[in-house]
Amino acid sequence: MKNISIFISGRGSNLESILKKRNSGFFDASIPFVLSNKEDAMGLQVAKRYNIPTHVFNIKSFPSRNDFEKALLDLLEKHSIDLIVLAGFMSILSKDFITSFGKPIINIHPSLLPAFPGLNAQKRTLEYGAKFAGCTVHFVTANVDAGPIILQDVIPIFDDDTEETITMRLLEREHLLLPEAIKIIVEDRFQIIGRRVIVEK
Ligand code: GAR
């Protein structure tokens, strides 16, 4: 069975959808711990409710990014983590960290990448005047929000939509998309050809 670690920074609604789906047998994996880079992330309470141990690693309490990432790598190695899932983790992992970890890292982003990478994606999608918004699960590479795309979903934008309504409707899709991507990876049902991730049914 694969060991997954989920990294969060905030609310933890994606974390909860992952834990619910795992508990219902949707995919088979062990989740030895949830990591947050913020002490006050609400998602830490979600992990506790599901009896998953938590770790808080705040980069500010380490002398350097290098020390922070080294401590993180030690923790991942100690638990033999096979996959890192970034579920609303709002900190960038360095190229060295990604290389040293050497196993898949996936991220969920609230836009139809490559459109609107970075922060406030929903707000920028709306303000741009796009007629559709989306969410993307992709492999994490050194370039932010630019790794090979595993899954995407799309929703229409209505005239009376606000940043909040788009965010909420997208979250409903994110809660299906991220567990689906985890299932594909833990079951090893994909190939990467160039930039294309081909999913076997
Ligand atoms: C989600 O909408 C996720 O797509 C986004 O943060 C939110 C976390 O919500 N991630 C990013 O913007 C990453 N660039 P949650 O804490 O309720 O899962």
Side-chain angles (χ1 to χ4, degrees):
M1 201 187 345
K2 296 239 162 80
N3 293 321
I4 303 178
S5 176
I6 299 155
F7 286 16
I8 60 164
S9 298
R11 179 177 46 204
S13 72
N14 277 290
L15 167 65
E16 178 147 26
S17 77
I18 294 166
L19 296 176
K20 261 192 198 150
K21 290 263 187 176
R22 198 281 305 254
N23 287 358
S24 75
F26 180 68
F27 62 82
D28 195 18
S30 150
I31 304 177
F33 67 91
V34 164
L35 182 128
S36 171
N37 63 337
K38 298 248 165 75
E39 291 78 5
D40 58 353
M42 276 164 53
L44 289 168
Q45 306 310 319
V46 174
K48 286 186 183 129
R49 264 197 279 123
Y50 283 79
N51 294 315
I52 308 285
T54 56
H55 290 277
V56 176
F57 272 38
N58 186 335
I59 194 161
K60 289 186 192 134
S61 45
F62 291 85
S64 69
R65 167 168 290 275
N66 205 28
D67 292 296
F68 163 78
E69 292 190 340
K70 175 80 181 64
L72 204 46
L73 285 166
D74 288 347
L75 182 67
L76 293 162
E77 193 175 335
K78 182 173 155 209
H79 291 277
S80 305
I81 297 300
D82 302 296
L83 167 67
I84 298 174
V85 177
L86 307 184
F89 185 67
M90 306 305 276
S91 177
I92 289 168
L93 298 169
S94 75
K95 186 178 179 184
D96 283 350
F97 175 89
I98 296 166
T99 310
S100 303
F101 177 59
K103 292 175 188 163
I105 306 175
I106 64 172
N107 177 48
I108 183 137
H109 182 76
S111 81
L112 214 49
L113 289 172
F116 310 110
L119 295 175
N120 304 316
Q122 303 94 326
K123 182 168 187 273
R124 288 185 294 123
T125 304
L126 183 69
E127 287 175 356
Y128 189 88
K131 299 297 184 193
F132 291 89
C135 47
T136 303
V137 183
H138 63 92
F139 286 108
V140 172
T141 58
N143 295 333
V144 176
D145 295 332
I149 291 169
I150 305 164
L151 294 173
Q152 288 186 305
D153 203 355
V154 65
I155 60 165
I157 295 178
F158 303 118
D159 291 344
D160 58 354
D161 263 325
T162 61
E163 182 188 347
E164 288 69 33
T165 58
I166 292 174
T167 299
M168 285 307 142
R169 290 213 314 286
L170 274 179
L171 270 178
E172 290 171 14
R173 302 298 181 93
E174 293 184 30
H175 295 165
L176 301 174
L177 208 65
L178 190 51
E180 183 66 43
I182 293 172
K183 183 177 168 69
I184 289 165
I185 292 171
V186 298
E187 293 175 0
D188 232 348
R189 278 192 294 114
F190 68 98
Q191 284 182 62
I192 304 183
I193 302 173
R195 273 197 57 92
R196 299 182 67 203
V197 180
I198 309 296
V199 175
E200 292 149 21
K201 298 287 170 212

Coordinates of all heavy atoms in Angstrom, one line a residue, residues 10-14 88 90 108-110 122 171 174, ligand 1:
G10 N -4.7 26.0 4.8 CA -5.9 26.7 5.2 C -7.1 25.8 5.6 O -6.9 24.9 6.4
R11 N -8.2 26.1 5.0 CA -9.5 25.5 5.3 C -9.5 24.0 5.4 O -10.1 23.4 6.3 CB -10.5 26.0 4.3 CG -11.9 25.6 4.4 CD -12.7 26.3 3.4 NE -12.0 26.2 2.1 CZ -12.2 27.1 1.1 NH1 -13.1 28.1 1.2 NH2 -11.5 27.0 -0.1
G12 N -8.9 23.3 4.4 CA -8.9 21.9 4.5 C -10.1 21.2 3.9 O -10.3 20.0 4.2
S13 N -10.9 21.8 3.0 CA -12.0 21.1 2.5 C -11.6 20.0 1.5 O -12.2 19.0 1.5 CB -13.0 22.1 1.8 OG -12.5 22.6 0.6
N14 N -10.5 20.3 0.8 CA -10.0 19.2 -0.1 C -9.4 18.1 0.7 O -9.6 16.9 0.4 CB -8.9 19.7 -1.1 CG -9.6 20.4 -2.3 OD1 -10.1 19.7 -3.2 ND2 -9.5 21.7 -2.4
G88 N -4.3 22.9 -1.3 CA -4.4 24.2 -0.8 C -3.1 24.6 0.0 O -3.2 25.4 0.9
M90 N -0.1 26.7 0.2 CA 0.2 28.0 -0.5 C 1.7 28.4 -0.3 O 2.0 29.6 -0.1 CB -0.7 29.1 0.0 CG -2.2 28.7 -0.1 SD -2.7 28.2 -1.7 CE -3.1 29.8 -2.4
I108 N -3.6 20.7 -6.6 CA -4.8 21.1 -7.2 C -4.8 22.7 -7.3 O -4.4 23.3 -6.3 CB -6.1 20.6 -6.4 CG1 -7.3 21.0 -7.2 CG2 -6.1 21.1 -5.0 CD1 -8.4 20.0 -7.3
H109 N -5.2 23.1 -8.5 CA -5.2 24.6 -8.7 C -6.6 25.0 -9.2 O -7.1 24.4 -10.1 CB -4.1 24.9 -9.7 CG -4.0 26.4 -10.0 ND1 -3.5 27.3 -9.0 CD2 -4.5 27.2 -11.0 CE1 -3.6 28.5 -9.5 NE2 -4.2 28.5 -10.7
P110 N -7.1 26.1 -8.7 CA -8.5 26.5 -9.1 C -8.6 27.3 -10.4 O -9.2 28.4 -10.4 CB -9.0 27.3 -7.9 CG -7.7 27.9 -7.4 CD -6.6 27.0 -7.6
Q122 N -9.4 32.4 -9.2 CA -10.9 32.5 -9.4 C -11.2 34.0 -9.7 O -12.0 34.3 -10.7 CB -11.7 32.0 -8.3 CG -11.5 30.6 -7.8 CD -10.4 30.5 -6.7 OE1 -9.5 31.3 -6.6 NE2 -10.6 29.5 -5.8
L171 N -15.1 24.4 -5.9 CA -14.6 23.5 -4.8 C -15.4 22.1 -4.9 O -14.8 21.1 -4.6 CB -14.9 24.1 -3.4 CG -13.8 25.0 -2.8 CD1 -14.2 25.6 -1.5 CD2 -12.5 24.2 -2.6
E174 N -13.5 20.3 -7.3 CA -12.2 19.9 -6.8 C -12.3 18.7 -5.9 O -11.4 17.8 -5.9 CB -11.6 21.1 -6.0 CG -11.3 22.3 -6.8 CD -10.6 23.4 -6.0 OE1 -9.9 23.1 -5.0 OE2 -10.8 24.6 -6.3
Ligands
GAR1 C1 -8.6 25.3 -3.2 O1 -9.5 26.0 -4.0 C2 -7.4 25.0 -4.1 O2 -7.6 24.8 -5.4 C3 -6.6 26.3 -3.9 O3 -6.7 26.6 -2.5 C4 -8.0 26.1 -2.1 C5 -7.8 25.3 -0.8 O4 -9.1 25.1 -0.2 N1 -5.2 26.1 -4.2 C6 -4.4 27.0 -4.8 O5 -4.9 28.1 -5.0 C7 -3.0 26.6 -5.1 N2 -2.4 27.6 -5.9 P1 -9.2 24.0 0.9 O6 -8.2 24.4 2.0 O7 -10.6 24.1 1.4 O8 -8.9 22.6 0.3

